Amino acid sequence: MTIQPGASAVIDADALIEKLACEGRAAQRQLAAMSSEARASALTCSAQRLRAESGSILEANAKDLAAAQDSGLSPAMLDRLALDKDRLESIAAGVEAVAGLPDPVGQVIESSQRPNGLKMSRVRVPIGTIGIIYESRPNVTADAAALCVRAGNAALLRGGSEAVHSNRAILAALTAGLEEGGVPSKAVQLIPTQDRAAVGSMLTAAGLIDMIVPRGGRSLVARVQSDARVPVLAHLDGINHTYIHSAADAEMAKTIALNAKMRRTGICGAMETLLIDAGFAEPGALVASLLDAGCELRGDGRAQALDTRIFPASADDWGTEYLDAVLSVGIVDTMDDALEHIARHSSAHTDVIVTSDDAAAEHFLTYVDSAIVMHNASSQFADGREFGLGAEIGIATGRLHARGPVALEGLTTYKWLVRGTGQARP
Amino acid sequence: MTIQPGASAVIDADALIEKLACEGRAAQRQLAAMSSEARASALTCSAQRLRAESGSILEANAKDLAAAQDSGLSPAMLDRLALDKDRLESIAAGVEAVAGLPDPVGQVIESSQRPNGLKMSRVRVPIGTIGIIYESRPNVTADAAALCVRAGNAALLRGGSEAVHSNRAILAALTAGLEEGGVPSKAVQLIPTQDRAAVGSMLTAAGLIDMIVPRGGRSLVARVQSDARVPVLAHLDGINHTYIHSAADAEMAKTIALNAKMRRTGICGAMETLLIDAGFAEPGALVASLLDAGCELRGDGRAQALDTRIFPASADDWGTEYLDAVLSVGIVDTMDDALEHIARHSSAHTDVIVTSDDAAAEHFLTYVDSAIVMHNASSQFADGREFGLGAEIGIATGRLHARGPVALEGLTTYKWLVRGTGQARP
């Protein structure tokens, strides 16, 4: 099998992924055998190398930017792709921060002794090989690789074609640092072709890749979720609700709703639907503050009656993630109606209640079955760093393995250790 | 959509599974809202009903047995299918035991407070709807349903066609008890058709069924693993190794090897490969004890030299789960060779070292990456009850969510609760 980088000739993508995954697995075994301190110190070397190689990385990035401009990429996409001294420093600092995070590997989750004397314990171990499939942001190359390595995993990275030179330059610096620190360079590998067949092969590489994390827009995540035979950690949508309860403080409701929608409209933690209890005292002022801030509101009939500037909501609006200064607004008569609406329309990412009634809040926290449920806080806090995890590989809305913001612990699994003195089973 | 039980006419299996799953989900919401005590007490009612209805259950079982005899089922299959007073009592007692297990739902896994005052916690919640696909043993109907209900989940059961009357009778008693205890009967449902298309629809019902647990032979598990788009908790093989280290006590090695292979040869925790270190003092006596106990041995060249009764092993033997009184035997020169052999051939179920050298044992426990790794104990202890879990829904050799014996905790997930006082994100 020969791979010609950049060539569009048919490649044997399955064979390529198998080769890379096997090399990654061998490197991962060595990585897992290293001490936590050694893995951390190798990542610190990587951060230094990223700084030392900033010239060549920015040069590579300039090549990508020039090609992207020629091919007419949108300004938003160009901005995601662009690196400068500050962004590169923040990438290096991010790698250092991950090096400094507490290591979950080796942690004893529980232990017990059986009546027959057998000592049982469950101990955290790396998952193995993590596949990351991402789009234009080159920082993911370093961020994701650092999290994988910190938790003893190999990373198989598939970046976007727009960022191919930037990703290679970042990877070269990163793996040079890892090698300095004694980590085999094959622990972090970039798929050396932009052939789309390679993505298909990653998605079906059960037994070779243990988990896939897609990082990018909805269409990327949807394709990964639909085609993958390897477990996927992801969220497709963030259709997040904020429910203003009848006992909500009006000022707090305004602050939280404005922040949840308008702080950054394009992130997955942004509010997309505002549910106002019919018993809430100041609904008019609340929607006016959003409208005045430049947000388009789409309401049901009763919400529309609050302000003439509110458009009618279509049936589809309740299930739409706008990622923009647009918001669906509904009036509900009771908490049960709010819970019912959320159960039907939420994408199980982050849902919020605003209320000064603690019993009502606890009821909401109990009965909303989303990855994150909040009381009196902005849904824009849905982020691993804000949760104290130090970083995140992504936010998961699936129900198994890990939910909500996922960081190092979500990149581990466990094994059972049984210590005996010669016991045979009767 | 009309379902004609027993008819082989084409059914709209997807529509059937969607209907059952939606009904199950509604019941599951009610179940999750109940207190732990209420769920436990409903299961106790079920156990009583199983005893009270023993006459009708045994009658139904007699029908299944008669049909199975007519269709020429093997004696082993007939035995799996057969119920009697004792087996029924043990089913009822099993349901009671599950009722008595500590409830993982509501458990706070961790909590912390952020500098901005936000209080974060992770709390265990039910997974949702669990699909169980099983073969002839009717006890699974009660065992699996009880575990699901104890952890607040709905169960969607698809039993084998040989046991259709027994399963219906057990389900009727079980759900009557649940209803007495306030659990909606749709929390546990049996797929009302034996049409194989229904299994296909369960396996692809992502979003409707949250996890599938196959209980049965290799071909069932293989089909489920290959066709499922819903996460699967299972093990395909138990290719379990016992490594007799150079510093193993010879008597202990004999006891453990005999028990691991011969106690019950047909269970997934049985040893399938014995690796003997070249430095172990009494390899001849060890293999002789297995041969004398009636075990067929298949060895590499050096193992064959130990005893003329040992057959040559083929390349396939090292990857075969015999589930019979047959064992592969290899001689290894070092622990590293043993680790290498296990990494290549183990199904990551249960691997064992026998040694009196604690440092060697810890090395093995660290570097063998299987769901269960044991020191000086028989691999036949690989069972949820022996691990102190009270029961098990199955043993998992996958790497995500849960590994090894899986009981109530593996039937839960978690959500993040965030309690604030009006925080907006800067």
Side-chain angles (χ1 to χ4, degrees):
Chain A
M1 183 198 64
T2 58
I3 304 300
Q4 300 169 287
S8 62
V10 172
I11 57 158
D12 185 345
D14 286 349
L16 170 64
I17 296 303
E18 183 172 353
K19 174 178 170 287
L20 297 173
C22 289
E23 291 171 351
R25 180 80 61 187
Q28 191 269 327
R29 288 221 183 83
Q30 287 180 257
L31 183 63
M34 293 173 66
S35 72
S36 177
E37 293 69 27
R39 283 198 306 272
S41 134
L43 285 171
T44 308
C45 296
S46 288
Q48 284 159 357
R49 279 293 188 122
L50 284 164
R51 289 190 184 102
E53 301 295 336
S54 63
S56 62
I57 295 171
L58 293 177
E59 226 169 82
N61 187 244
K63 257 194 232 174
D64 286 333
L65 282 170
Q69 267 156 342
D70 287 351
S71 68
L73 227 63
S74 71
M77 292 282 274
L78 284 174
D79 181 61
R80 275 181 213 158
L81 179 57
L83 294 177
D84 57 23
K85 275 271 173 199
D86 283 355
R87 286 189 175 182
L88 204 48
E89 170 51 33
S90 121
I91 290 175
V95 171
E96 267 168 355
V98 168
L101 290 176
D103 186 4
V105 174
Q107 188 194 326
V108 178
I109 301 169
E110 62 169 332
S111 57
S112 66
Q113 182 157 7
R114 305 291 304 150
N116 60 10
L118 287 179
K119 291 180 183 160
M120 311 289 183
S121 58
R122 276 200 294 157
V123 178
R124 284 205 186 283
V125 295
I127 286 180
T129 300
I130 315 291
I132 321 274
I133 301 175
Y134 54 110
E135 292 177 330
S136 48
R137 293 181 196 275
N139 63 300
V140 175
T141 307
D143 294 355
L147 279 165
C148 288
V149 167
R150 186 74 190 96
N153 298 290
L156 217 49
L157 307 167
R158 176 39 152 85
S161 52
E162 327 77 65
V164 63
H165 297 100
S166 315
N167 289 338
R168 281 185 197 152
I170 290 173
L171 184 86
L174 189 92
T175 52
L178 289 178
E179 280 193 308
E180 251 175 74
V183 173
S185 66
K186 302 258 173 180
V188 181
Q189 297 175 95
L190 200 56
I191 309 292
T193 167
Q194 292 305 123
D195 193 309
R196 282 177 69 87
V199 173
S201 296
M202 287 179 76
L203 297 179
T204 53
L208 294 169
I209 299 177
D210 299 298
M211 182 165 84
I212 298 267
V213 183
R215 294 277 298 256
R218 194 179 195 283
S219 66
L220 171 71
V221 176
R223 185 200 164 185
V224 167
Q225 288 188 328
S226 116
D227 293 355
R229 308 312 306 267
V230 173
V232 174
L233 194 98
H235 66 275
L236 187 63
D237 290 313
I239 302 175
N240 308 316
H241 298 75
T242 301
Y243 167 49
I244 309 299
H245 183 245
S246 56
D249 175 88
E251 270 314 299
M252 188 191 289
K254 214 187 278 180
T255 305
I256 287 177
L258 272 171
N259 187 266
K261 179 75 247 184
M262 300 301 285
R263 172 183 164 271
R264 285 180 64 191
T265 57
I267 66 172
C268 66
M271 164 174 70
E272 302 292 6
T273 297
L274 178 67
L275 297 175
I276 306 176
D277 197 285
F280 175 62
E282 301 182 32
L286 176 63
V287 296
S289 72
L290 284 155
L291 289 160
D292 294 346
C295 187
E296 175 183 325
L297 299 193
R298 302 184 187 173
D300 61 18
R302 292 158 79 191
Q304 277 193 277
L306 294 173
D307 197 298
T308 54
R309 293 171 289 175
I310 301 181
F311 294 97
S314 73
D316 282 351
D317 279 319
W318 309 108
T320 298
E321 184 184 29
Y322 301 113
L323 294 174
D324 202 350
V326 182
L327 180 68
S328 310
V329 185
I331 307 292
V332 291
D333 285 313
T334 61
M335 162 107 64
D336 277 349
D337 289 351
L339 294 174
E340 183 59 36
H341 182 103
I342 290 169
R344 187 171 321 132
H345 297 289
S346 169
S347 62
H349 188 296
T350 301
D351 294 299
V352 178
I353 184 172
V354 181
T355 185
S356 302
D357 176 341
D358 282 347
E362 291 307 315
H363 189 83
F364 186 88
L365 294 178
T366 301
Y367 292 110
V368 172
D369 188 17
S370 296
I372 306 171
V373 195
M374 297 183 171
H375 172 213
N376 288 349
S378 164
S379 59
Q380 298 231 353
F381 283 110
D383 173 279
R385 253 184 212 90
E386 296 296 328
F387 275 57
L389 306 180
E392 70 180 25
I393 192 90
I395 291 188
T397 54
R399 303 188 65 79
L400 297 197
H401 186 67
R403 271 183 114 192
V406 180
L408 291 180
E409 186 186 300
L411 293 172
T412 65
T413 180
Y414 60 79
K415 63 181 176 186
W416 289 91
L417 301 183
V418 179
R419 294 177 172 94
T421 50
Q423 284 87 343
R425 189 168 172 189
Chain B
M1 182 199 63
T2 57
I3 304 298
Q4 298 170 287
S8 63
V10 172
I11 57 158
D12 185 344
D14 285 349
L16 169 64
I17 296 302
E18 183 172 353
K19 173 178 170 284
L20 296 174
C22 289
E23 291 171 350
R25 180 79 63 188
Q28 191 269 327
R29 288 221 182 82
Q30 286 180 259
L31 183 62
M34 293 173 66
S35 72
S36 177
E37 292 70 28
R39 283 198 307 273
S41 132
L43 285 172
T44 308
C45 295
S46 289
Q48 285 158 357
R49 279 294 188 118
L50 284 164
R51 289 192 184 102
E53 301 295 336
S54 62
S56 62
I57 295 170
L58 292 178
E59 226 168 84
N61 187 245
K63 257 194 231 175
D64 286 333
L65 281 171
Q69 267 156 341
D70 288 352
S71 69
L73 227 61
S74 71
M77 294 281 275
L78 285 173
D79 180 59
R80 277 182 212 157
L81 179 57
L83 294 177
D84 57 24
K85 273 272 172 197
D86 283 355
R87 287 188 173 182
L88 204 50
E89 170 51 33
S90 123
I91 290 174
V95 171
E96 267 169 354
V98 168
L101 289 175
D103 187 3
V105 174
Q107 187 195 327
V108 178
I109 300 170
E110 61 169 333
S111 57
S112 66
Q113 184 157 7
R114 304 291 305 149
N116 61 10
L118 287 179
K119 290 180 184 161
M120 311 290 183
S121 58
R122 277 200 293 158
V123 178
R124 284 205 185 283
V125 296
I127 286 180
T129 300
I130 315 291
I132 321 274
I133 302 176
Y134 54 109
E135 293 179 329
S136 49
R137 293 182 196 273
N139 63 300
V140 175
T141 307
D143 294 354
L147 280 165
C148 289
V149 167
R150 185 73 191 96
N153 298 291
L156 217 48
L157 307 167
R158 174 40 150 87
S161 54
E162 326 77 65
V164 62
H165 298 100
S166 314
N167 288 338
R168 279 183 198 153
I170 290 173
L171 184 87
L174 189 92
T175 52
L178 290 177
E179 279 194 308
E180 251 175 76
V183 173
S185 66
K186 302 258 172 179
V188 181
Q189 297 175 93
L190 199 57
I191 310 293
T193 166
Q194 293 305 123
D195 193 310
R196 283 176 69 87
V199 173
S201 297
M202 287 178 76
L203 296 180
T204 54
L208 294 169
I209 298 178
D210 298 299
M211 182 164 84
I212 298 266
V213 182
R215 294 278 297 256
R218 195 178 194 281
S219 66
L220 171 72
V221 176
R223 183 199 165 185
V224 167
Q225 287 188 330
S226 117
D227 294 355
R229 309 312 307 265
V230 173
V232 173
L233 195 98
H235 66 275
L236 187 61
D237 289 314
I239 301 175
N240 307 316
H241 298 74
T242 300
Y243 167 48
I244 310 299
H245 182 246
S246 55
D249 176 87
E251 269 314 299
M252 189 191 288
K254 212 187 282 181
T255 305
I256 288 177
L258 272 172
N259 188 265
K261 179 74 248 183
M262 301 300 286
R263 173 182 163 271
R264 285 179 64 191
T265 57
I267 66 172
C268 64
M271 165 174 68
E272 303 292 8
T273 298
L274 178 67
L275 297 175
I276 305 175
D277 197 285
F280 175 61
E282 302 182 29
L286 177 63
V287 296
S289 73
L290 284 156
L291 288 160
D292 294 347
C295 186
E296 174 183 326
L297 300 193
R298 303 184 187 173
D300 61 17
R302 292 158 78 189
Q304 277 193 277
L306 293 173
D307 198 298
T308 55
R309 292 171 290 174
I310 301 181
F311 295 97
S314 73
D316 281 351
D317 279 320
W318 308 108
T320 298
E321 184 184 28
Y322 301 113
L323 295 173
D324 202 349
V326 182
L327 180 68
S328 310
V329 185
I331 307 292
V332 292
D333 284 313
T334 61
M335 162 108 65
D336 277 349
D337 290 350
L339 294 173
E340 183 58 38
H341 181 104
I342 291 169
R344 187 173 319 133
H345 298 289
S346 170
S347 63
H349 188 297
T350 301
D351 294 298
V352 178
I353 184 172
V354 181
T355 184
S356 302
D357 176 341
D358 283 348
E362 291 307 314
H363 189 83
F364 186 89
L365 293 178
T366 302
Y367 292 110
V368 172
D369 188 18
S370 296
I372 306 170
V373 196
M374 297 183 172
H375 172 212
N376 287 349
S378 163
S379 59
Q380 299 231 355
F381 282 111
D383 173 280
R385 255 185 210 91
E386 296 295 328
F387 275 57
L389 306 179
E392 70 180 25
I393 193 90
I395 291 188
T397 53
R399 304 189 64 81
L400 298 196
H401 186 67
R403 270 183 116 191
V406 180
L408 292 179
E409 187 186 300
L411 294 172
T412 65
T413 181
Y414 60 79
K415 63 182 176 186
W416 289 89
L417 301 183
V418 180
R419 294 178 171 93
T421 51
Q423 284 87 343
R425 188 169 171 187

